[in-house]
Amino acid sequence: MYTLFYAPGAASLAVHAALHEVDAPHDLVKVDLQVQRTEDYLRLNPQGTVPTLVIDGLAHRESAALLLLLAERHPQADLAPPPGAPGRAEWLQWSVALATSLGGPYRLWFYPQDLGLPEHSEQTRAPVQRILEAAFERIESHLVAHGPYLLGERFSTADYQLCMYMRWSRAMPKPATEWPALDRLARLVVARPAWRNAVAMEGLRGWHLDGLS
Ligand SMILES: N[C@@H](CCC(=O)N[C@@H](CS)C(=O)NCC(=O)O)C(=O)O
């Protein structure tokens, strides 16, 4: 049995979609990002972030790791190439690369306090924007050559991770959907019933349900 601590549209979204994808019974606990650093929640997740996924009474965190874990625990859902199969190394590589090249910079974009700043100025925002856009540019080049998914014809949890990060760019100066191959991948991913279930249950509207713009 799984319990997912989530916030609508946050880093929990890809994990939530994967739970639907593997068809696992799960409880959802909505976390208020403004007041989540309670003693009880910090006991589950010392960083006070979402997602936290409790599996059989044990709490785990980090969205990328949780996606790897779900793919491993539910091989029948075919969310990743099995160990030793072609594509396995690329899947691991993308899962980690997305978490570092997009997940890390997004923290700085959305949480200037991580940089010790009360809020961003143009001077502090611009370099983070450049880092994120450069990461999307690199992924676009890969998809143009090897898409439509990160692993070619094969959908994997890494595509959920990427789609979640793309969604976060929707109000940025250059949304990720402006790169054509990224846009194509996102359209394929958001059409999946599991993604649609997750966004509907989280009460999200717009980008993911009614078209991408
Ligand atoms: N690397 C973590 C990042 C988690 C994270 O930063 N989550 C954000 C929401 S997207 C959060 O909980 N923010 C609230 C806070 O840091 O106070 C992951 O991917 O799980």
Side-chain angles (χ1 to χ4, degrees):
M1 181 66 184
Y2 295 107
T3 303
L4 177 66
F5 289 76
Y6 81 103
S12 36
L13 177 57
V15 180
H16 190 184
L19 282 169
H20 284 282
E21 197 79 47
V22 302
D23 205 17
H26 57 272
D27 290 330
L28 291 174
V29 180
K30 189 170 171 177
V31 174
D32 182 340
L33 289 181
Q34 305 308 315
V35 294
Q36 71 193 57
R37 290 173 193 277
T38 60
E39 270 184 34
D40 281 351
Y41 191 66
L42 289 173
R43 254 193 297 278
L44 283 179
N45 181 330
Q47 292 188 340
T49 53
V50 291
T52 301
L53 186 65
V54 178
I55 307 177
D56 301 331
L58 285 179
H60 306 274
R61 60 187 159 84
E62 287 300 328
S63 53
L66 299 177
L67 290 168
L68 300 180
L69 200 56
L70 286 174
E72 180 185 290
R73 286 171 62 91
H74 300 275
Q76 79 291 348
D78 201 28
L79 290 180
R88 178 76 174 187
E90 287 72 21
W91 173 65
L92 291 169
Q93 171 200 290
W94 278 113
S95 302
V96 174
L98 293 174
T100 53
S101 65
L102 289 173
Y106 264 129
R107 272 291 315 180
L108 302 181
W109 180 265
F110 288 118
Y111 297 96
Q113 55 272 34
D114 285 7
L115 290 165
L117 303 167
E119 58 185 41
H120 272 307
S121 63
E122 192 41 40
Q123 220 181 357
T124 57
R125 191 183 287 111
V128 184
Q129 182 187 335
R130 262 200 307 279
I131 291 170
L132 284 164
E133 290 181 1
F136 282 126
E137 190 68 49
R138 285 194 301 275
I139 299 168
E140 173 75 7
S141 301
H142 169 78
L143 292 175
V144 166
H146 304 290
Y149 297 108
L150 286 166
L151 302 184
E153 295 297 326
R154 190 191 216 292
F155 170 79
S156 77
T157 53
D159 299 302
Y160 269 153
Q161 207 182 338
L162 175 55
C163 196
M164 175 182 80
Y165 290 139
M166 286 184 66
R167 184 175 175 278
W168 293 356
S169 74
R170 66 198 185 282
M172 290 182 66
K174 181 169 180 179
T177 45
E178 288 192 17
W179 283 275
L182 279 163
D183 181 72
R184 180 173 178 219
L185 179 143
R187 286 174 191 278
L188 291 170
V189 172
V190 302
R192 295 180 79 83
W195 177 276
R196 289 185 165 261
N197 281 340
V199 297
M201 292 189 76
E202 295 193 8
L204 305 175
R205 293 196 308 273
W207 192 82
H208 35 274
L209 283 179
D210 312 316
L212 295 183
S213 49

